[in-house]
Amino acid sequence: NEISKEKVQTIFDQVEAGTLTKEEAMKQLDEALGLKDDKNKVSGPASKPVK
């Protein structure tokens, strides 16, 4: 949805600006996208597909 896209863009902008670390950004992305299930987390292992 549009709200998630805006949140994601804001988070990426903060990482680019150096105000967020990548680790903090991953946590915020998980929260912004509402991904509570570990296997779907952006910050999870790279070997697991994100749906």
Side-chain angles (χ1 to χ4, degrees):
N1 66 39
E2 288 303 309
I3 296 169
S4 291
K5 286 181 187 175
E6 284 181 29
K7 283 183 183 177
V8 169
Q9 189 58 56
T10 300
I11 292 166
F12 281 124
D13 290 344
Q14 288 177 324
V15 173
E16 288 289 314
T19 55
L20 265 184
T21 66
K22 286 186 178 175
E23 289 79 13
E24 290 171 324
M26 289 300 183
K27 281 189 207 171
Q28 288 196 21
L29 283 172
D30 288 338
E31 290 172 16
L33 298 173
L35 300 177
K36 302 298 179 208
D37 189 356
D38 284 348
K39 70 175 183 257
N40 289 332
K41 284 194 175 191
V42 175
S43 58
S47 61
K48 291 186 179 178
V50 175
K51 297 193 171 161

